[in-house]
PDB file of all heavy atoms in Angstrom:
ATOM      1  N   PRO A  46     105.000  16.347 142.737  1.00 89.00           N
ATOM      2  CA  PRO A  46     103.566  16.438 143.052  1.00 89.00           C
ATOM      3  C   PRO A  46     103.273  17.688 143.843  1.00 89.00           C
ATOM      4  O   PRO A  46     104.044  18.063 144.743  1.00 89.00           O
ATOM      5  CB  PRO A  46     103.312  15.191 143.881  1.00 89.00           C
ATOM      6  CG  PRO A  46     104.374  14.222 143.472  1.00 89.00           C
ATOM      7  CD  PRO A  46     105.587  15.072 143.170  1.00 89.00           C
ATOM      8  N   GLY A  47     102.212  18.347 143.470  1.00 92.00           N
ATOM      9  CA  GLY A  47     101.874  19.584 144.125  1.00 92.00           C
ATOM     10  C   GLY A  47     102.507  20.808 143.504  1.00 92.00           C
ATOM     11  O   GLY A  47     102.159  21.940 143.859  1.00 92.00           O
ATOM     12  N   GLY A  48     103.388  20.591 142.563  1.00 93.00           N
ATOM     13  CA  GLY A  48     104.074  21.695 141.885  1.00 93.00           C
ATOM     14  C   GLY A  48     103.216  22.320 140.804  1.00 93.00           C
ATOM     15  O   GLY A  48     102.051  21.952 140.599  1.00 93.00           O
ATOM     16  N   SER A  49     103.840  23.246 140.086  1.00 94.00           N
ATOM     17  CA  SER A  49     103.148  23.993 139.050  1.00 94.00           C
ATOM     18  C   SER A  49     103.962  24.020 137.765  1.00 94.00           C
ATOM     19  O   SER A  49     105.194  23.939 137.787  1.00 94.00           O
ATOM     20  CB  SER A  49     102.906  25.441 139.518  1.00 94.00           C
ATOM     21  OG  SER A  49     102.084  25.484 140.653  1.00 94.00           O
ATOM     22  N   LEU A  50     103.268  24.158 136.670  1.00 94.00           N
ATOM     23  CA  LEU A  50     103.858  24.369 135.366  1.00 94.00           C
ATOM     24  C   LEU A  50     102.974  25.337 134.605  1.00 94.00           C
ATOM     25  O   LEU A  50     101.772  25.367 134.827  1.00 94.00           O
ATOM     26  CB  LEU A  50     103.935  23.077 134.561  1.00 94.00           C
ATOM     27  CG  LEU A  50     105.059  22.091 134.796  1.00 94.00           C
ATOM     28  CD1 LEU A  50     104.829  20.843 133.948  1.00 94.00           C
ATOM     29  CD2 LEU A  50     106.422  22.700 134.504  1.00 94.00           C
ATOM     30  N   ARG A  51     103.597  26.086 133.714  1.00 96.00           N
ATOM     31  CA  ARG A  51     102.820  26.915 132.799  1.00 96.00           C
ATOM     32  C   ARG A  51     103.220  26.587 131.375  1.00 96.00           C
ATOM     33  O   ARG A  51     104.398  26.701 131.001  1.00 96.00           O
ATOM     34  CB  ARG A  51     103.016  28.411 133.059  1.00 96.00           C
ATOM     35  CG  ARG A  51     102.019  29.262 132.279  1.00 96.00           C
ATOM     36  CD  ARG A  51     102.070  30.715 132.593  1.00 96.00           C
ATOM     37  NE  ARG A  51     103.134  31.406 131.867  1.00 96.00           N
ATOM     38  CZ  ARG A  51     103.090  32.690 131.540  1.00 96.00           C
ATOM     39  NH1 ARG A  51     102.043  33.423 131.863  1.00 96.00           N
ATOM     40  NH2 ARG A  51     104.102  33.257 130.919  1.00 96.00           N
ATOM     41  N   LEU A  52     102.246  26.188 130.612  1.00 96.00           N
ATOM     42  CA  LEU A  52     102.444  25.891 129.204  1.00 96.00           C
ATOM     43  C   LEU A  52     102.030  27.084 128.358  1.00 96.00           C
ATOM     44  O   LEU A  52     101.083  27.779 128.694  1.00 96.00           O
ATOM     45  CB  LEU A  52     101.627  24.655 128.778  1.00 96.00           C
ATOM     46  CG  LEU A  52     101.828  23.387 129.591  1.00 96.00           C
ATOM     47  CD1 LEU A  52     100.970  22.272 128.997  1.00 96.00           C
ATOM     48  CD2 LEU A  52     103.287  22.981 129.639  1.00 96.00           C
ATOM     49  N   SER A  53     102.766  27.277 127.285  1.00 97.00           N
ATOM     50  CA  SER A  53     102.443  28.367 126.348  1.00 97.00           C
ATOM     51  C   SER A  53     102.223  27.786 124.960  1.00 97.00           C
ATOM     52  O   SER A  53     102.857  26.793 124.591  1.00 97.00           O
ATOM     53  CB  SER A  53     103.601  29.379 126.286  1.00 97.00           C
ATOM     54  OG  SER A  53     103.859  29.937 127.551  1.00 97.00           O
ATOM     55  N   CYS A  54     101.366  28.430 124.215  1.00 97.00           N
ATOM     56  CA  CYS A  54     101.092  28.023 122.834  1.00 97.00           C
ATOM     57  C   CYS A  54     100.985  29.283 121.989  1.00 97.00           C
ATOM     58  O   CYS A  54     100.028  30.041 122.138  1.00 97.00           O
ATOM     59  CB  CYS A  54      99.817  27.193 122.758  1.00 97.00           C
ATOM     60  SG  CYS A  54      99.336  26.747 121.077  1.00 97.00           S
ATOM     61  N   ALA A  55     101.960  29.474 121.134  1.00 96.00           N
ATOM     62  CA  ALA A  55     101.976  30.664 120.284  1.00 96.00           C
ATOM     63  C   ALA A  55     101.449  30.305 118.908  1.00 96.00           C
ATOM     64  O   ALA A  55     101.895  29.351 118.279  1.00 96.00           O
ATOM     65  CB  ALA A  55     103.408  31.207 120.182  1.00 96.00           C
ATOM     66  N   ALA A  56     100.484  31.105 118.453  1.00 95.00           N
ATOM     67  CA  ALA A  56      99.844  30.867 117.149  1.00 95.00           C
ATOM     68  C   ALA A  56     100.362  31.861 116.111  1.00 95.00           C
ATOM     69  O   ALA A  56     100.629  33.013 116.443  1.00 95.00           O
ATOM     70  CB  ALA A  56      98.330  30.993 117.274  1.00 95.00           C
ATOM     71  N   SER A  57     100.474  31.393 114.888  1.00 94.00           N
ATOM     72  CA  SER A  57     100.839  32.247 113.766  1.00 94.00           C
ATOM     73  C   SER A  57     100.122  31.748 112.546  1.00 94.00           C
ATOM     74  O   SER A  57      99.527  30.683 112.528  1.00 94.00           O
ATOM     75  CB  SER A  57     102.354  32.248 113.571  1.00 94.00           C
ATOM     76  OG  SER A  57     102.832  30.958 113.249  1.00 94.00           O
ATOM     77  N   GLY A  58     100.186  32.550 111.492  1.00 92.00           N
ATOM     78  CA  GLY A  58      99.495  32.177 110.259  1.00 92.00           C
ATOM     79  C   GLY A  58      98.115  32.800 110.210  1.00 92.00           C
ATOM     80  O   GLY A  58      97.937  33.962 110.532  1.00 92.00           O
ATOM     81  N   SER A  59      97.141  32.014 109.845  1.00 89.00           N
ATOM     82  CA  SER A  59      95.768  32.504 109.656  1.00 89.00           C
ATOM     83  C   SER A  59      95.020  32.598 110.984  1.00 89.00           C
ATOM     84  O   SER A  59      93.981  31.978 111.184  1.00 89.00           O
ATOM     85  CB  SER A  59      95.016  31.602 108.698  1.00 89.00           C
ATOM     86  OG  SER A  59      95.677  31.514 107.458  1.00 89.00           O
ATOM     87  N   ILE A  60      95.535  33.405 111.897  1.00 89.00           N
ATOM     88  CA  ILE A  60      94.966  33.476 113.236  1.00 89.00           C
ATOM     89  C   ILE A  60      93.585  34.111 113.249  1.00 89.00           C
ATOM     90  O   ILE A  60      92.802  33.886 114.177  1.00 89.00           O
ATOM     91  CB  ILE A  60      95.903  34.217 114.199  1.00 89.00           C
ATOM     92  CG1 ILE A  60      96.180  35.623 113.680  1.00 89.00           C
ATOM     93  CG2 ILE A  60      97.190  33.435 114.410  1.00 89.00           C
ATOM     94  CD1 ILE A  60      96.974  36.471 114.638  1.00 89.00           C
ATOM     95  N   PHE A  61      93.244  34.850 112.196  1.00 90.00           N
ATOM     96  CA  PHE A  61      91.934  35.477 112.129  1.00 90.00           C
ATOM     97  C   PHE A  61      90.825  34.441 112.075  1.00 90.00           C
ATOM     98  O   PHE A  61      89.672  34.714 112.391  1.00 90.00           O
ATOM     99  CB  PHE A  61      91.851  36.391 110.907  1.00 90.00           C
ATOM    100  CG  PHE A  61      92.059  35.659 109.617  1.00 90.00           C
ATOM    101  CD1 PHE A  61      90.993  35.069 108.942  1.00 90.00           C
ATOM    102  CD2 PHE A  61      93.320  35.542 109.060  1.00 90.00           C
ATOM    103  CE1 PHE A  61      91.184  34.379 107.757  1.00 90.00           C
ATOM    104  CE2 PHE A  61      93.540  34.867 107.872  1.00 90.00           C
ATOM    105  CZ  PHE A  61      92.465  34.266 107.215  1.00 90.00           C
ATOM    106  N   SER A  62      91.167  33.223 111.642  1.00 90.00           N
ATOM    107  CA  SER A  62      90.181  32.165 111.482  1.00 90.00           C
ATOM    108  C   SER A  62      89.899  31.403 112.787  1.00 90.00           C
ATOM    109  O   SER A  62      88.984  30.592 112.842  1.00 90.00           O
ATOM    110  CB  SER A  62      90.647  31.171 110.427  1.00 90.00           C
ATOM    111  OG  SER A  62      91.784  30.435 110.895  1.00 90.00           O
ATOM    112  N   ILE A  63      90.686  31.678 113.820  1.00 92.00           N
ATOM    113  CA  ILE A  63      90.573  30.916 115.061  1.00 92.00           C
ATOM    114  C   ILE A  63      89.336  31.306 115.849  1.00 92.00           C
ATOM    115  O   ILE A  63      89.125  32.485 116.134  1.00 92.00           O
ATOM    116  CB  ILE A  63      91.822  31.092 115.926  1.00 92.00           C
ATOM    117  CG1 ILE A  63      93.055  30.558 115.195  1.00 92.00           C
ATOM    118  CG2 ILE A  63      91.650  30.375 117.266  1.00 92.00           C
ATOM    119  CD1 ILE A  63      94.353  30.840 115.936  1.00 92.00           C
ATOM    120  N   ALA A  64      88.531  30.320 116.229  1.00 93.00           N
ATOM    121  CA  ALA A  64      87.354  30.544 117.070  1.00 93.00           C
ATOM    122  C   ALA A  64      87.614  30.103 118.506  1.00 93.00           C
ATOM    123  O   ALA A  64      86.990  30.622 119.432  1.00 93.00           O
ATOM    124  CB  ALA A  64      86.153  29.795 116.512  1.00 93.00           C
ATOM    125  N   ALA A  65      88.496  29.160 118.673  1.00 95.00           N
ATOM    126  CA  ALA A  65      88.798  28.661 120.011  1.00 95.00           C
ATOM    127  C   ALA A  65      90.179  28.016 119.996  1.00 95.00           C
ATOM    128  O   ALA A  65      90.646  27.532 118.968  1.00 95.00           O
ATOM    129  CB  ALA A  65      87.770  27.646 120.472  1.00 95.00           C
ATOM    130  N   MET A  66      90.810  28.023 121.148  1.00 96.00           N
ATOM    131  CA  MET A  66      92.080  27.328 121.337  1.00 96.00           C
ATOM    132  C   MET A  66      92.016  26.607 122.662  1.00 96.00           C
ATOM    133  O   MET A  66      91.179  26.901 123.524  1.00 96.00           O
ATOM    134  CB  MET A  66      93.254  28.302 121.326  1.00 96.00           C
ATOM    135  CG  MET A  66      93.499  28.957 119.967  1.00 96.00           C
ATOM    136  SD  MET A  66      94.918  30.077 119.978  1.00 96.00           S
ATOM    137  CE  MET A  66      96.287  28.946 120.222  1.00 96.00           C
ATOM    138  N   GLY A  67      92.905  25.668 122.820  1.00 97.00           N
ATOM    139  CA  GLY A  67      92.927  24.946 124.077  1.00 97.00           C
ATOM    140  C   GLY A  67      93.995  23.884 124.116  1.00 97.00           C
ATOM    141  O   GLY A  67      94.912  23.896 123.280  1.00 97.00           O
ATOM    142  N   TRP A  68      93.832  22.992 125.046  1.00 97.00           N
ATOM    143  CA  TRP A  68      94.825  21.958 125.299  1.00 97.00           C
ATOM    144  C   TRP A  68      94.141  20.599 125.480  1.00 97.00           C
ATOM    145  O   TRP A  68      93.146  20.482 126.192  1.00 97.00           O
ATOM    146  CB  TRP A  68      95.617  22.267 126.569  1.00 97.00           C
ATOM    147  CG  TRP A  68      96.398  23.542 126.485  1.00 97.00           C
ATOM    148  CD1 TRP A  68      95.939  24.804 126.769  1.00 97.00           C
ATOM    149  CD2 TRP A  68      97.751  23.686 126.088  1.00 97.00           C
ATOM    150  NE1 TRP A  68      96.945  25.713 126.569  1.00 97.00           N
ATOM    151  CE2 TRP A  68      98.065  25.067 126.150  1.00 97.00           C
ATOM    152  CE3 TRP A  68      98.736  22.801 125.693  1.00 97.00           C
ATOM    153  CZ2 TRP A  68      99.326  25.549 125.832  1.00 97.00           C
ATOM    154  CZ3 TRP A  68      99.988  23.281 125.385  1.00 97.00           C
ATOM    155  CH2 TRP A  68     100.271  24.636 125.438  1.00 97.00           C
ATOM    156  N   TYR A  69      94.717  19.631 124.836  1.00 97.00           N
ATOM    157  CA  TYR A  69      94.404  18.238 125.077  1.00 97.00           C
ATOM    158  C   TYR A  69      95.658  17.617 125.719  1.00 97.00           C
ATOM    159  O   TYR A  69      96.761  18.143 125.595  1.00 97.00           O
ATOM    160  CB  TYR A  69      94.115  17.494 123.772  1.00 97.00           C
ATOM    161  CG  TYR A  69      92.703  17.615 123.280  1.00 97.00           C
ATOM    162  CD1 TYR A  69      92.208  18.800 122.737  1.00 97.00           C
ATOM    163  CD2 TYR A  69      91.834  16.512 123.316  1.00 97.00           C
ATOM    164  CE1 TYR A  69      90.915  18.900 122.273  1.00 97.00           C
ATOM    165  CE2 TYR A  69      90.528  16.603 122.846  1.00 97.00           C
ATOM    166  CZ  TYR A  69      90.072  17.792 122.324  1.00 97.00           C
ATOM    167  OH  TYR A  69      88.797  17.876 121.851  1.00 97.00           O
ATOM    168  N   ARG A  70      95.454  16.500 126.357  1.00 96.00           N
ATOM    169  CA  ARG A  70      96.599  15.754 126.827  1.00 96.00           C
ATOM    170  C   ARG A  70      96.387  14.270 126.542  1.00 96.00           C
ATOM    171  O   ARG A  70      95.263  13.787 126.471  1.00 96.00           O
ATOM    172  CB  ARG A  70      96.848  15.964 128.334  1.00 96.00           C
ATOM    173  CG  ARG A  70      95.845  15.328 129.261  1.00 96.00           C
ATOM    174  CD  ARG A  70      96.143  15.667 130.692  1.00 96.00           C
ATOM    175  NE  ARG A  70      95.121  15.146 131.587  1.00 96.00           N
ATOM    176  CZ  ARG A  70      94.951  15.547 132.840  1.00 96.00           C
ATOM    177  NH1 ARG A  70      95.764  16.481 133.358  1.00 96.00           N
ATOM    178  NH2 ARG A  70      93.994  15.038 133.595  1.00 96.00           N
ATOM    179  N   GLN A  71      97.524  13.584 126.429  1.00 95.00           N
ATOM    180  CA  GLN A  71      97.477  12.147 126.197  1.00 95.00           C
ATOM    181  C   GLN A  71      98.436  11.470 127.155  1.00 95.00           C
ATOM    182  O   GLN A  71      99.666  11.687 127.068  1.00 95.00           O
ATOM    183  CB  GLN A  71      97.831  11.822 124.747  1.00 95.00           C
ATOM    184  CG  GLN A  71      97.641  10.366 124.380  1.00 95.00           C
ATOM    185  CD  GLN A  71      97.605  10.150 122.890  1.00 95.00           C
ATOM    186  OE1 GLN A  71      98.089  10.956 122.111  1.00 95.00           O
ATOM    187  NE2 GLN A  71      97.014   9.033 122.487  1.00 95.00           N
ATOM    188  N   ALA A  72      97.884  10.696 128.055  1.00 92.00           N
ATOM    189  CA  ALA A  72      98.684   9.915 128.970  1.00 92.00           C
ATOM    190  C   ALA A  72      99.104   8.618 128.298  1.00 92.00           C
ATOM    191  O   ALA A  72      98.442   8.150 127.367  1.00 92.00           O
ATOM    192  CB  ALA A  72      97.875   9.634 130.253  1.00 92.00           C
TER     193      ALA A  72
END
């Protein structure tokens, strides 16, 4: 608790079509 993490998400393929990216989570 109180710590940090950094998540990365690398995209490939038809990246020209991307309008937005982000993160969802599921507990």
Side-chain angles (χ1 to χ4, degrees):
S49 298
L50 278 176
R51 190 175 82 152
L52 306 181
S53 301
C54 176
S57 62
S59 302
I60 58 174
F61 60 88
S62 68
I63 297 174
M66 293 182 67
W68 297 86
Y69 276 72
R70 71 183 176 197
Q71 187 164 21

